[in-house]
Amino acid sequence: MVSEKELFEFAEKLMPNAYAPYSNFKVVAIAETRSGELFPGVNVENSSYGLTICAERVAVFNAVTNGHRDIDKIYIFTETKEPTSPCGACRQVIAEFNPEATIISYSLSTGKKRQWALKELLPYHFNLS
Ligand code: THU
């Protein structure tokens, strides 16, 4: 299992890659599979603001692109004082692959940590059944 120290080092390395010239709110997310593989993502903004994509969705799509749908945890890193929770759209996207996922969010600046079950953040996610 990856240590918190390794996660922080990975997130610190990736944070400059977040492309957030409009909001200046940089986010790194890392999807961890059940077998412990890590797939990162950063937020990528666009001058047509609505085209922006959150770091969490980039991380999930990175895992799926690499053949891994068994997402177990999503780590989130921001530079805010308090850890942030994922937006509603990202909650639904994570639930597509694992409604039982765990979300772990850290502040890179204060080291504070919060953890939720995805089910707490998005009870009754949409599905077609
Ligand atoms: N953002 C994320 O990457 N993840 C979230 O959970 C919430 C928001 C991004 C989108 C946008 O680039 C910036 O943060 C401000 O909303």
Side-chain angles (χ1 to χ4, degrees):
M1 216 187 74
V2 65
S3 69
E4 280 196 343
K5 185 172 177 285
E6 287 168 316
L7 282 171
F8 267 76
E9 283 168 4
F10 197 19
E12 263 161 8
K13 195 180 85 177
L14 291 167
M15 194 57 91
N17 299 345
Y19 180 71
Y22 305 105
S23 72
N24 282 317
F25 189 86
K26 293 186 169 201
V27 186
V28 170
I30 302 169
E32 183 178 40
T33 65
R34 265 184 262 282
S35 58
E37 283 180 87
L38 301 177
F39 296 92
V42 296
N43 56 329
V44 182
E45 298 188 345
N46 191 276
S47 57
S48 178
Y49 300 155
L51 301 183
T52 291
I53 182 163
C54 297
E56 293 89 331
R57 269 175 289 160
V58 175
V60 169
F61 298 159
N62 184 11
V64 173
T65 299
N66 282 284
H68 296 270
R69 297 176 187 168
D70 57 340
I71 292 163
D72 184 37
K73 297 187 182 78
I74 301 286
Y75 301 102
I76 301 168
F77 292 86
T78 57
E79 293 168 323
T80 50
K81 280 194 193 131
E82 298 296 327
T84 61
S85 71
C87 81
C90 291
R91 295 176 193 195
Q92 175 69 27
V93 167
I94 300 162
E96 178 74 19
F97 297 101
N98 184 8
E100 306 292 329
T102 303
I103 312 296
I104 302 161
S105 184
Y106 295 97
S107 157
L108 259 190
S109 40
T110 63
K112 282 192 188 176
K113 173 184 181 180
R114 285 205 65 181
Q115 180 170 324
W116 304 270
L118 177 60
K119 277 213 160 128
E120 291 175 68
L121 300 180
L122 186 67
Y124 306 103
H125 73 277
F126 176 72
N127 64 56
L128 290 170
S129 55

